[in-house]
Amino acid sequence: MSSLLSPEALQSIKRLDLRARMVVRGFLQGLHSSPFHGFSVQFSEHRRYNRGDDPKLIDWLVYAKTDKYFVKRFESETNLIGYLVIDLSKSMGFTENQSMTKFEYVTCLAAALTYLMIMQQDPVGLITFDEKVHASLPARSRRGHMGDVIARLSNLKPAGATDVPASLTQVAAMLKQHSLVMLFSDLWPSDDDEKTWQEQIAEVVSALARLRHAGHDVIVFHVLDAAEVEFPYDGPVQFTDSESGQSVSVDATGFREDYLAALAEFRDAYRDGCNQLQIDYVPLDTSMPFDTALTEYLTQRQSRF
């Protein structure tokens, strides 16, 4: 099923709403024939039977299918408010040779998550940012709201620089109810001569901590281009920063080992910072099938019940 949900397979589908539906339907279909069998049933409207639950609430039809005890969830148990928080910086528009840019990959993933959440009758909203937070859509669960989110996602264009810490701090101040915040960004440090990339990561993690301390659950989808992960370059190469416009020439062959080591350290710093805050950190690249990310989301959501 993963091959059908790859960015290459979906590239021929131009409409974002159709891409989202194909991703979610293929993903849910795959659950039924995978080791997650029965998990999708539990995800949609049931939870495991716990000691102290009324045995009368056991759904015996589900037991017959899964050989496990489940009870129906009450409305108060299933309601989850979600916000898609998407990085609009110009670096998100980069790709070397993939079928989707980072931004196209993110919007497709965000659209699929919108479809999935609204199927579950969970309210979902949209917040975008670069150097500051821009106009947002409030969280709603009605069917027509998906069209509003898709329309907004379809018209977004990555441009300019970004300030992730300031934007996340602003998001924390905006949200009044405990929510699931889904951050989509490449998290690349800015070209700041006064701060190291380690210091910039510490500022992002501090902003994420504000969200956690306010009672929000957070998932960080760290999306990079496949070339940024693999560094498939040889010989003299000139790289240009998409946000600052500054260029640097390097011997890619000799630089590869140092770059990959620095990238691993970069990702590990975010992973460690998120783990300390009990935030789910999901590293992705634009060659990965979309069901990889949806499985991470589903696992995260399930852990809440």
Side-chain angles (χ1 to χ4, degrees), residues 98-143:
Q98 295 297 307
S99 59
M100 290 185 182
T101 66
K102 288 181 283 188
F103 193 73
E104 289 170 332
Y105 187 95
V106 161
T107 54
C108 187
L109 176 57
L113 285 167
T114 300
Y115 185 44
L116 188 59
M117 292 189 72
I118 288 179
M119 280 178 59
Q120 298 302 126
Q121 300 181 335
D122 288 330
V124 59
L126 174 65
I127 298 172
T128 59
F129 71 93
D130 43 41
E131 293 183 291
K132 62 180 180 180
V133 168
H134 293 280
S136 60
L137 289 175
R140 297 193 175 103
S141 58
R142 58 180 176 80
R143 290 280 180 175

Side-chain angles (χ1 to χ4, degrees), residues 1-2 4-5 25-41 65 291:
M1 181 58 67
S2 290
L4 299 178
L5 300 182
R25 289 176 180 174
F27 170 66
L28 292 178
Q29 181 182 351
L31 284 181
H32 290 288
S33 57
S34 74
F36 284 96
H37 177 68
F39 194 47
S40 58
V41 176
K65 294 179 180 178
D291 53 345

Side-chain angles (χ1 to χ4, degrees), residues 40-47 59 62 71-73 78 120:
S40 58
V41 176
Q42 185 179 0
F43 167 64
S44 61
E45 56 184 9
H46 296 79
R47 63 170 170 80
D59 190 322
V62 174
V71 298
K72 283 278 189 177
R73 286 179 178 160
T78 60
Q120 298 302 126

Side-chain angles (χ1 to χ4, degrees), residues 15-292:
R15 284 177 48 183
L16 187 56
D17 59 331
L18 296 182
R19 285 184 183 179
R21 292 174 192 272
M22 182 174 177
V23 168
V24 171
R25 289 176 180 174
F27 170 66
L28 292 178
Q29 181 182 351
L31 284 181
H32 290 288
S33 57
S34 74
F36 284 96
H37 177 68
F39 194 47
S40 58
V41 176
Q42 185 179 0
F43 167 64
S44 61
E45 56 184 9
H46 296 79
R47 63 170 170 80
R48 285 287 187 93
Y49 174 82
N50 296 316
R51 182 175 298 180
D53 287 334
D54 187 342
K56 294 179 181 178
L57 297 176
I58 293 174
D59 190 322
W60 296 105
L61 289 177
V62 174
Y63 172 77
K65 294 179 180 178
T66 66
D67 199 31
K68 296 177 182 177
Y69 295 109
F70 291 91
V71 298
K72 283 278 189 177
R73 286 179 178 160
F74 295 100
E75 185 64 26
S76 61
E77 293 181 289
T78 60
N79 190 258
L80 176 72
I81 300 172
Y83 280 93
L84 311 164
V85 181
I86 298 179
D87 184 349
L88 289 179
S89 61
K90 192 172 182 179
S91 67
M92 293 292 289
F94 170 76
T95 187
E96 180 67 26
N97 53 23
Q98 295 297 307
S99 59
M100 290 185 182
T101 66
K102 288 181 283 188
F103 193 73
E104 289 170 332
Y105 187 95
V106 161
T107 54
C108 187
L109 176 57
L113 285 167
T114 300
Y115 185 44
L116 188 59
M117 292 189 72
I118 288 179
M119 280 178 59
Q120 298 302 126
Q121 300 181 335
D122 288 330
V124 59
L126 174 65
I127 298 172
T128 59
F129 71 93
D130 43 41
E131 293 183 291
K132 62 180 180 180
V133 168
H134 293 280
S136 60
L137 289 175
R140 297 193 175 103
S141 58
R142 58 180 176 80
R143 290 280 180 175
H145 185 57
M146 181 177 172
D148 297 337
V149 175
I150 295 292
R152 183 68 62 88
L153 288 172
S154 298
N155 291 320
L156 293 175
K157 300 293 182 185
T162 187
D163 190 334
V164 178
S167 298
L168 291 180
T169 299
Q170 192 176 347
V171 169
M174 290 170 54
L175 301 182
K176 305 305 180 185
Q177 294 177 285
H178 292 177
S179 305
L180 171 63
V181 176
M182 294 163 279
L183 172 65
F184 303 83
S185 175
D186 57 14
L187 296 173
W188 280 126
S190 63
D191 185 22
D192 188 338
D193 294 333
E194 297 182 359
K195 296 177 183 177
T196 65
W197 63 263
Q198 291 91 343
E199 290 171 330
Q200 293 186 53
I201 289 176
E203 290 183 347
V204 175
V205 172
S206 178
L208 290 169
R210 292 188 181 94
L211 285 166
R212 290 293 291 130
H213 293 158
H216 303 296
D217 290 305
V218 183
I219 304 177
V220 175
F221 291 102
H222 190 183
V223 182
L224 299 178
D225 186 72
E228 293 172 328
V229 174
E230 299 165 3
F231 202 74
Y233 306 103
D234 290 298
V237 179
Q238 180 172 300
F239 295 102
T240 301
D241 186 290
S242 58
E243 295 181 16
S244 69
Q246 293 186 349
S247 297
V248 60
S249 297
V250 300
D251 174 9
T253 305
F255 183 63
R256 178 178 293 107
E257 185 175 341
D258 289 340
Y259 171 84
L260 294 177
L263 177 66
E265 186 179 352
F266 175 66
R267 281 177 147 182
D268 285 345
Y270 271 114
R271 181 181 289 103
D272 292 344
C274 288
N275 286 344
Q276 290 176 13
L277 295 170
Q278 295 184 308
I279 288 173
D280 273 15
Y281 173 75
V282 185
L284 300 169
D285 71 64
T286 52
S287 69
M288 297 173 70
F290 287 99
D291 53 345
T292 300

